[in-house]
Amino acid sequence: MKKLLIFDAYGTLICTGTGSIDSCKEILSLQDKDIDPVKFYADWKVIHRKHLNDSINGPFLKEWDIFENDLKLLYEKYGINRPYKEDVKIMLKTQFNRKAFDDVLETINELKKKYRVVIGSTADTYPLLENLKENNVIVDKVYTSEMIKTYKPDIRFYQYILDNEGVKASDAIFIGDSTQDDVLGPQKLKMKTVLLYRNDNYKTDVVKPDYIIHSLLELLQIDL
């Protein structure tokens, strides 16, 4: 039986909804170019991932600062002449007032009776703590990229949590919704993984988590 359960936060415990695409629409409404917000957000995600990787390999930047750099590059790409440091606040405010998924509280509260339950999230600390507080999600400890000074899927992210918990990788399991961050990353340390896929048609021949679930409540039926 595993001693430690490490949960991803966003997309796993906390729903981000349509906040990001809505923010892109609001940002683009401030200028007069005809830009598709869906395409704009798709470009943003690519740039953001690159900047996260750059921060893994170079000087660490908080995600807040990375969002600023993202928008600066996007404005240059799309020829937008606006103060990106002001406009990025529209995106950043969506980090608050997010709701937990309906299956979170029951699952976490039950699992805490048997395991130590922590969160390991690519996030800045304050917004995540506020989201957890607002949704009454109580875990044993929260670890963020801001605390660890690196981002998933850097192996140092997961090792930091294991070291601080005093647990071997073989006694921990990582649960999340990202194949890259929550499966492939932990597997580098030989950690078992659970991939949460809230749709019913997930298939892959490349990524092989130990378990695939479609609701967190399914964890209560698995002998972890």
Side-chain angles (χ1 to χ4, degrees), residues 52 55-56 60-63 66 122 145 150-154:
L52 289 177
S55 190
I56 290 173
F60 176 79
L61 293 177
K62 290 174 55 178
E63 198 168 25
I66 289 176
T122 286
S145 289
T150 192
Y151 291 98
K152 303 175 194 175
D154 184 356

Side-chain angles (χ1 to χ4, degrees), residues 32 37 40 44-45 48 53 55-56 59 74 78 81-82 86 99 105 110 118 122 137 144 146 155 177 199 201 208 221:
D32 57 4
F40 188 82
W44 194 323
K45 289 196 295 184
H48 191 69
N53 291 338
S55 190
I56 290 173
L74 282 165
Y78 283 92
N81 184 24
R82 282 195 52 80
E86 287 299 315
K99 301 299 181 184
L105 293 183
E110 284 298 315
V118 304
T122 286
V137 178
T144 67
E146 183 180 0
I155 194 171
D177 68 317
N199 297 324
N201 59 347
K208 297 186 182 298
Q221 310 303 319

